[in-house]
Amino acid sequence: MSVTTENQVKKIDLWINGERVAPASQQYFIDHNPEDDSVFAEVADGDESDVDRAVQSAHLAFQSYRKTLAKEREVYLIKAASLVEKYEDKFIELLVKEVGSPIGKARYEVAYAANCLRAAAGVARRISGQTLPSDSLGRFAMTTRQPIGVVAAITPFNVPLLKSAKLSSSPLATGNTVVLLPSEQAPMISNLLADIYHEAGFPPGTVNVVTGNGAVIGDALTTHDLVKAVMFTGSSRVGKHIGGLCGSRMKRALLELGGKSPLVILDDADLDAAVEAAAMSQFFFQGQACMASSRIYVDKKVEQEFLRRFVKKAESLGLGDLYDESTSVGPIISARQRERVRHHIEDARAKGAKVLTGGEWIGHRCKPTILSGVNESMVVYHEETFGPVTSVYSFTNLDEAIAQANDSNYGLSSAIFTQDINKAFRFVQEVESGMVHVNAPTILDEPHVPFGGVKDSGFGREGTDIDVETLTEWKWVTINLN
Ligand code: NAD
């Protein structure tokens, strides 16, 4: 392993063609520990020429990797899954110190990544074509699928291992090669995954990692002629920009973006279960989750009782040492993000919202915050906060609840708590979101499901099975037989 995790400042180069190489600029940027903004690592500050080197390496590797047998790709991915588990402690240390993950969230990501790599391994043998009827006598018709080439995988800071594993394993399972651009706030984690792919036997150049400022080098990657698809997870702002660049160049783009997911609680709901789900969905990883329940709608009849229990639950969540199992709320990732969270709370308070609990900070941690009396004039009503802040609204009937849930530019996940299957199913059918859960949290993810959102939350779906559509090209083949 070239990514060391001892207690010293680490320095990491680019990963191109199976080697650590210095960036062309010879410059390194600082990767901070969000707990106190201390220096965690020095990371290669790649430029456009480095992006080109990485893409050329992936393109060269593609010429032979595309011909590998499904059973070979399956072996590599299964080995990589076992190595993720073997190096669990290294990943946990990075997830805790590089992005401020509480230990439970760090463990979840490691388990998910291993699970995801195994799910992708299973896909390699299922990349099948069809035989088709032909309108001409004596013509045999079939379809085959072929890998498309170099895939750019661009990942966010909040679930850096989960997303690096998800966005690289499907391209590798389908015979494509990868250039990974991780968030500049979580570069070490993706680099450790690249080391693991190497140890698992993936040939040099099949996985490359370019680090640097995404806002500076992202366009060079997205628009590179040899990049055939971009799999992006991040903010809606950057996703729309990438979608535009890809659209005008006839490139495939898979965009997994932000959210403002509604959790609806009807008057017949199991309130304890709803409170657990609301707390988990909104305060998991201090609210830095795309599927966070940042809008909670409660039937007026049970609103006060729900709020009493929800406030009590929020106040019980641990803000201690990140290695302590009882800690669920850690630091917010960066000064800019902390400012955003503060602004959302203060803007709401200034315009008349009530802070039922929270709104205070301990170091870089914001206490779980519950707002009521939020209205359309407030920033938090519309925008994704990406912090431990949620707003509770009330309604008097299901129509009103559905209308409020749909009153957002986002549409990633959603959930409803009720004992009434008819009401639950109406919500399932009418809510404008890519994912909907009944009597469950808004945060749910499994490797093989079609994961994604509508409206500003994304374009397309990711998941080991549906990724085969995104990452292979159909070819219709005919043979005239005598
Ligand atoms: P971000 O958009 O700031 O950055 C995401 C990635 O894009 C980073 O790797 C960054 O370097 C890169 N980037 C920046 N400018 C670019 C450009 N011009 N071209 C190409 N790449 C560029 O997002 P973030 O702050 O890292 O992550 C938080 C956001 O991600 C939130 O909005 C969250 O909801 C979303 N997210 C969505 C999902 C999902 O599956 N829908 C999952 C996790 C996070």
Side-chain angles (χ1 to χ4, degrees), residues 156-475:
F157 80 83
N158 66 324
V159 275
L161 173 57
L162 184 158
K163 281 290 180 174
S164 294
K166 214 174 182 186
L167 301 194
S168 58
S169 58
S170 283
L172 292 170
T174 46
N176 297 291
T177 56
V178 181
V179 176
L180 193 53
L181 169 60
S183 162
E184 54 272 33
Q185 286 154 335
M188 300 296 279
I189 293 160
S190 300
N191 270 300
L192 180 55
L193 183 65
D195 286 347
I196 279 174
Y197 279 134
H198 187 62
E199 192 175 332
F202 279 99
T206 45
V207 178
N208 307 272
V209 183
V210 192
T211 46
N213 185 340
V216 175
I217 59 172
D219 286 7
L221 180 60
T222 300
T223 61
H224 198 295
D225 280 347
L226 294 175
V227 168
K228 301 300 175 194
V230 179
M231 297 178 84
F232 173 79
T233 301
S235 60
S236 301
R237 183 185 61 80
V238 177
K240 284 179 182 177
H241 170 72
I242 291 175
L245 292 177
C246 288
S248 60
R249 287 167 179 77
M250 309 287 277
K251 270 180 212 235
R252 296 171 189 204
L254 179 70
L255 306 172
E256 299 295 343
L257 313 178
K260 190 107 189 136
S261 298
L263 176 74
V264 171
I265 299 160
L266 302 192
D267 61 347
D268 64 350
D270 175 339
L271 275 196
D272 284 333
V275 165
E276 285 301 318
M280 187 276 175
S281 295
Q282 183 51 42
F283 302 128
F284 174 80
F285 193 41
Q286 47 277 18
Q288 298 175 132
C290 55
M291 297 170 276
S293 301
S294 49
R295 299 182 293 140
I296 299 178
Y297 301 98
V298 192
D299 189 300
K300 239 187 174 39
K301 294 197 264 313
V302 291
E303 184 189 9
Q304 288 314 312
E305 182 55 20
F306 170 79
L307 281 175
R308 190 185 66 74
R309 295 191 210 181
F310 188 35
V311 165
K312 190 169 165 213
K313 177 74 191 177
E315 289 174 352
S316 75
L317 297 174
L319 284 88
D321 188 296
L322 293 171
Y323 280 102
D324 186 334
E325 299 289 345
S326 68
T327 297
S328 37
V329 178
I332 299 293
I333 189 75
S334 64
R336 193 167 59 104
Q337 213 15 63
R338 278 167 227 139
E339 192 40 48
R340 180 183 176 87
V341 175
R342 277 199 183 89
H343 173 59
H344 281 207
I345 298 171
E346 292 320 318
D347 171 78
R349 207 196 302 254
K351 291 173 181 163
K354 271 198 197 148
V355 179
L356 300 180
T357 186
E360 293 151 2
W361 292 71
I362 302 173
H364 290 168
R365 301 180 193 209
C366 178
K367 286 191 180 174
T369 302
I370 302 172
L371 305 174
S372 72
V374 169
N375 63 44
E376 288 181 34
S377 71
M378 302 171 192
V379 179
V380 75
Y381 182 92
H382 307 276
E383 290 184 16
E384 182 182 42
T385 308
F386 227 54
V389 181
T390 190
S391 309
V392 178
Y393 308 84
S394 66
F395 60 84
T396 51
N397 59 53
L398 186 59
D399 287 335
E400 214 178 294
I402 293 171
Q404 290 188 74
N406 288 341
D407 185 24
S408 171
N409 288 336
Y410 292 105
L412 188 57
S413 185
S414 59
I416 186 165
F417 274 78
T418 177
Q419 306 297 325
D420 185 332
I421 187 68
N422 293 301
K423 288 182 177 165
F425 214 72
R426 231 195 98 205
F427 182 77
V428 164
Q429 287 177 309
E430 293 184 22
V431 70
E432 295 166 359
S433 66
M435 302 176 283
V436 51
H437 307 292
V438 178
N439 295 330
T442 53
I443 296 190
L444 279 184
D445 186 6
E446 294 176 4
H448 57 288
V449 303
F451 182 100
V454 299
K455 303 200 266 189
D456 282 358
S457 288
F459 184 76
R461 296 290 183 276
E462 73 181 18
T464 47
D465 290 40
I466 201 160
D467 284 345
V468 175
E469 250 348 288
T470 311
L471 297 169
T472 60
E473 191 77 76
W474 281 109
K475 196 172 265 184

